[in-house]
Amino acid sequence: GTDDSITAAGTLPINHYQPVPTVNDAGTTVLAQPCRAQWGPLEGMLLACGDPYRPGHLYFSLADAPEHWASDGNVEVCAPSEELMNGGILGSQAFVFSRERLYLLYPNLTGSVGITASPSLCKRGLWAYWAFCVGTDGVYFVAEDGIFKTAGGPEEWLSELIDPLFKGVTVHGYLPVNMAVTSALRLTVHESKL
């Protein structure tokens, strides 16, 4: 009777947490640590970065279960000093920016759940957490020295004509870009225009 129904019910997963389970500097597990950025889905997984305890780690949910994040559902993409900033998806290609470069993200296809991160040919990083947007032909982003576009390859310099604005010079009545106010640095695409 009852024992048979309990046995037939299967096992209760014990490694499912709210986003994200992490480890603090003392080695203590921290549950439900908010992350600055989440995006997806990629093969049914949500992705996240911005854990203050492990700034170089990328986190991913269980496939088709965005409310469940395993304690081993993460991969160290870069050193903590490089810090992952934010990410997104261009077409079907997931990516994450660090302060120094762009990484491409691939779901593991070997049967094990997980993500593999590979450095892209884009050698510039994201200057501010929200200073990027995805367009139809690439990812537009603000780096320390201007605005660029990449589709995973080498970055294309888009702001060459207004370059003095990024070096503190007023041009045609436009004040220089204040790179210190990182929360104000944002990009958007509207009707296929940056």
Side-chain angles (χ1 to χ4, degrees), residues 2-159:
T2 303
D3 290 340
D4 291 336
S5 62
I6 291 172
T7 303
T11 58
L12 179 65
I14 60 170
N15 194 19
H16 292 192
Y17 301 103
Q18 294 176 331
V20 296
T22 188
V23 178
N24 68 16
D25 296 337
T28 304
T29 299
V30 177
L31 300 177
Q33 172 62 47
C35 282
R36 176 181 47 261
Q38 287 188 11
W39 66 96
L42 175 65
E43 297 293 322
M45 293 178 284
L46 289 184
L47 308 170
C49 71
D51 172 6
Y53 297 112
R54 298 196 289 184
H57 279 69
L58 176 81
Y59 295 86
F60 49 89
S61 71
L62 299 175
D64 300 319
E67 68 282 4
H68 296 287
W69 298 64
S71 59
D72 60 352
N74 64 78
V75 60
E76 186 171 9
V77 175
C78 61
S81 60
E82 188 176 334
E83 185 186 10
L84 293 180
M85 301 290 284
N86 210 326
I89 297 180
L90 175 63
S92 60
Q93 178 63 65
F95 63 88
V96 65
F97 274 104
S98 74
R99 289 193 179 276
E100 297 178 11
R101 65 179 316 138
L102 176 72
Y103 293 89
L104 301 178
L105 306 174
Y106 302 97
N108 293 344
L109 301 175
T110 60
S112 63
V113 176
I115 298 285
T116 299
S118 297
S120 75
L121 296 175
C122 178
K123 305 285 192 226
R124 280 191 168 77
L126 191 60
W127 180 256
Y129 298 128
W130 306 105
F132 80 105
C133 67
V134 177
T136 57
D137 59 343
V139 180
Y140 299 89
F141 66 100
V142 178
E144 66 181 331
D145 54 350
I147 299 172
F148 296 85
K149 179 180 82 169
T150 182
E155 63 275 8
E156 176 186 349
W157 189 19
L158 300 179
S159 61

